[in-house]
Amino acid sequence: MPRENRRRGKRKKNDIQEDLDEKEPVKLKEPEDEGQPSWIETGHLNETSDPDAPFGLCDPDIKAYFRSVENQLKEWQDLGVEKENVSEEDSNLERRMFFSAALTEMQGKECMLATDPDCAVILERMIYSMDDLARRIFMNNLIGSVVELAKHRFGSHVLETLFELGASTVSRETQGILPTAQALPQFANQPTMSKLVAQFCKEITPTSPALVNEQFASHVLQRLITLLVPSLDFLREKKSFRSKRSAGYKSKQGSLKSVFEAAPDLPDATRKTPPEFLSLAKEILNCIKEKFSASEIRALAADQVACPTLRV
């Protein structure tokens, strides 16, 4: 029969079903295992996270609690230390109990609070009222997240304040002045501020070349170097380490000082540091010098962000 006169017959439903059954199910292509450890796979989840909240979003109830803490600290900072009709120890007792509860609530949430636009400045206010031991505990809980905090818009401000006030803690430790609570068993193994600063340097040094012209981290790097070498702090008289926007925002927060009666901080010129701090500063400097050529250094010197860091 000629081909054009042929008619194709209809297939039966049973035949169609048999053809479908014979076809192999389509398998989704699974990612190839390249022998990488499991933690690398979980790290991909961070790529889709919010860069403004790298440690997670702060719960509204937690925010509300720390706002109440800030309001109380502001009130006490405006009042100063009460000395009328009550002894100084008694007046500080209520404040210390309140502040201790706030510190307990903060534990485990330091990085999340430091990168929150509302809570970061509250942490800065709290650092002013922390004693040396509390600052060390707070700083110890930031280990492992220093670089990410330094690059963050709000986390960088918290680190700057911590380095600025931690300089006095380092000076007291160098002179053998330790908190009385250090003798308690639960704090016996708490690292000193000097050791914590050295740990921070180990995290920052490998990435220091990239931080030189980083918008936020460059200010943290400047503050860290002047913490290591107090003689460089005279540069602060010429220009603040904080950006103009940061300094303006901080000035709007009112008085930032301790709510407890504390000894005045020593002038920068008389601050003491351990001998190894100078070596840590040199390691950062050498890492930067090895990364950049002479022409690149000249280009960075003309950069608005990198120039102040190179000056330090």
Side-chain angles (χ1 to χ4, degrees):
M1 179 181 295
R3 187 171 183 176
E4 59 273 11
N5 294 333
R6 294 177 183 175
R7 297 185 62 184
R8 186 172 180 178
K10 294 182 179 180
R11 300 182 64 183
K12 296 181 181 180
K13 292 182 178 181
N14 292 338
D15 295 336
I16 297 174
Q17 186 63 37
E18 289 177 2
D19 290 344
L20 294 175
D21 294 340
E22 291 176 0
K23 292 182 179 179
E24 296 182 358
V26 178
K27 294 183 178 181
L28 297 176
K29 186 178 180 180
E30 297 180 356
E32 296 181 1
D33 185 5
E34 299 179 355
Q36 295 177 337
S38 59
W39 59 266
I40 292 182
E41 297 178 3
T42 57
H44 293 304
L45 296 177
N46 293 333
E47 295 177 358
T48 58
S49 63
D50 185 355
D52 293 332
F55 301 98
L57 296 174
C58 192
D59 186 88
D61 292 338
I62 296 176
K63 276 192 177 187
Y65 171 76
F66 279 98
R67 284 197 190 99
S68 67
V69 171
E70 180 185 35
N71 292 334
Q72 183 62 75
L73 292 179
K74 281 183 177 180
E75 180 181 341
W76 283 336
Q77 286 171 341
D78 293 338
L79 291 174
V81 178
E82 298 178 1
K83 294 184 178 180
E84 296 181 0
N85 302 324
V86 66
S87 68
E88 180 180 331
E89 292 183 359
D90 291 337
S91 66
N92 280 338
L93 179 60
E94 178 186 356
R95 299 183 181 192
R96 292 191 185 281
M97 292 178 63
F98 177 87
F99 194 70
S100 177
L103 292 177
T104 302
E105 180 64 30
M106 182 181 64
Q107 286 191 357
K109 310 180 186 74
E110 291 87 352
C111 292
M112 180 181 65
L113 294 170
T115 51
D116 183 84
D118 298 319
C119 296
V121 70
I122 301 176
L123 286 194
E124 289 189 72
R125 189 178 298 278
M126 292 178 67
I127 293 173
Y128 277 87
S129 295
M130 291 181 184
D131 59 16
D132 290 343
L133 184 60
R135 286 176 187 168
R136 287 159 50 189
I137 295 173
F138 175 74
M139 194 168 180
N140 191 36
N141 290 335
L142 302 181
I143 295 292
S145 305
V146 181
V147 174
E148 196 162 7
L149 287 171
K151 293 180 178 180
H152 193 272
R153 177 180 179 182
F154 302 106
S156 60
H157 298 164
V158 174
L159 289 182
E160 286 183 64
T161 300
L162 183 59
F163 290 159
E164 179 182 0
L165 300 179
S168 298
T169 301
V170 170
S171 183
R172 283 188 286 270
E173 288 178 353
T174 306
Q175 299 174 68
I177 304 173
L178 297 174
T180 54
Q182 183 72 38
L184 298 177
Q186 61 266 38
F187 301 123
N189 297 323
Q190 182 64 38
T192 62
M193 180 67 79
S194 301
K195 291 182 179 179
L196 292 170
V197 171
Q199 185 65 38
F200 272 43
C201 289
K202 289 182 180 179
E203 289 190 40
I204 289 179
T205 299
T207 60
S208 56
L211 304 183
V212 169
N213 61 340
E214 211 281 331
Q215 182 180 6
F216 304 117
S218 60
H219 299 282
V220 176
L221 188 59
Q222 294 174 47
R223 177 60 67 181
L224 175 60
I225 293 174
T226 54
L227 168 61
L228 299 174
V229 187
S231 59
L232 293 175
D233 207 58
F234 75 93
L235 294 171
R236 186 174 55 177
E237 299 176 1
K238 298 181 179 180
K239 186 176 181 180
S240 174
F241 290 133
R242 284 181 176 262
S243 64
K244 291 182 179 180
R245 171 181 281 186
S246 172
Y249 177 77
K250 187 176 180 180
S251 64
K252 295 179 182 179
Q253 304 307 313
S255 175
L256 290 177
K257 58 183 180 181
S258 175
V259 298
F260 309 111
E261 188 70 22
D265 291 336
L266 294 173
D268 297 321
T270 60
R271 283 199 289 110
K272 306 293 183 181
T273 56
E276 58 268 20
F277 271 24
L278 185 58
S279 299
L280 294 172
K282 288 181 178 180
E283 288 180 10
I284 295 176
L285 177 61
N286 291 334
C287 185
I288 295 173
K289 291 171 64 177
E290 291 173 1
K291 178 67 176 178
F292 298 121
S293 64
S295 58
E296 289 174 328
I297 292 291
R298 286 193 293 270
L300 288 172
D303 185 83
Q304 186 177 2
V305 176
C307 180
T309 308
L310 293 179
R311 180 190 59 178
V312 173

